[in-house]
Amino acid sequence: MGEVTSEKKIQLERCLVELKDSVDVIRKVSHDSILIWHANEIEEWIKYLKSQTDIEAVQSLKSEIYKRFYEKYNVRIEPKNLDDKRLTIFNKLLEQLSDI
């Protein structure tokens, strides 16, 4: 198949970093264990994305992120205002991934 454009990869990486930063902010005020898992997985997603250019590899990452969102991370975490931001960023990431 083809390759993912460098512009698209940069957008995805930025969104993942933004999501990781959001999770880190919440972790400062909440000790919910799901946040630790979430932060660790985001780091793994970033590493994987940086090492891939093939569209099929990025599509497999897309499938994994969608699966994790709907099965694990689409939950409410306090404080609500920070979690709203996390979910908004996550939805932005899903929108960017849908273009792949």
Side-chain angles (χ1 to χ4, degrees):
M1 235 168 153
E3 289 189 0
V4 178
T5 65
S6 59
E7 180 182 326
K8 185 52 126 174
K9 272 184 71 171
I10 289 168
Q11 287 176 344
L12 291 171
E13 285 177 34
R14 284 182 183 157
C15 197
L16 283 165
V17 168
E18 185 180 7
L19 181 59
K20 171 78 169 58
D21 291 346
S22 174
V23 169
D24 289 342
V25 168
I26 299 171
R27 286 181 63 197
K28 290 178 183 176
V29 295
S30 174
H31 301 292
D32 194 322
S33 59
I34 198 168
L35 294 168
I36 296 168
W37 304 329
H38 198 11
N40 291 338
E41 281 196 300
I42 295 168
E43 288 176 13
E44 291 300 315
W45 296 340
I46 292 169
K47 285 182 203 173
Y48 183 81
L49 181 62
K50 285 182 177 184
S51 70
Q52 302 299 321
T53 57
D54 184 71
I55 190 91
E56 289 177 349
V58 176
Q59 286 179 331
S60 73
L61 177 63
K62 170 185 170 179
S63 296
E64 177 67 18
I65 291 173
Y66 269 86
K67 178 182 172 188
R68 291 301 204 191
F69 177 74
Y70 291 109
E71 291 180 359
K72 193 173 191 178
Y73 299 123
N74 189 18
V75 296
R76 291 314 247 158
I77 301 168
E78 292 296 327
K80 184 181 181 315
N81 63 323
L82 295 176
D83 192 49
D84 286 345
K85 182 176 180 182
R86 177 189 68 90
L87 291 173
T88 298
I89 296 167
F90 215 134
N91 280 311
K92 181 173 102 174
L93 174 64
L94 296 175
E95 286 176 17
Q96 288 181 1
L97 286 166
S98 71
D99 293 339
I100 293 177

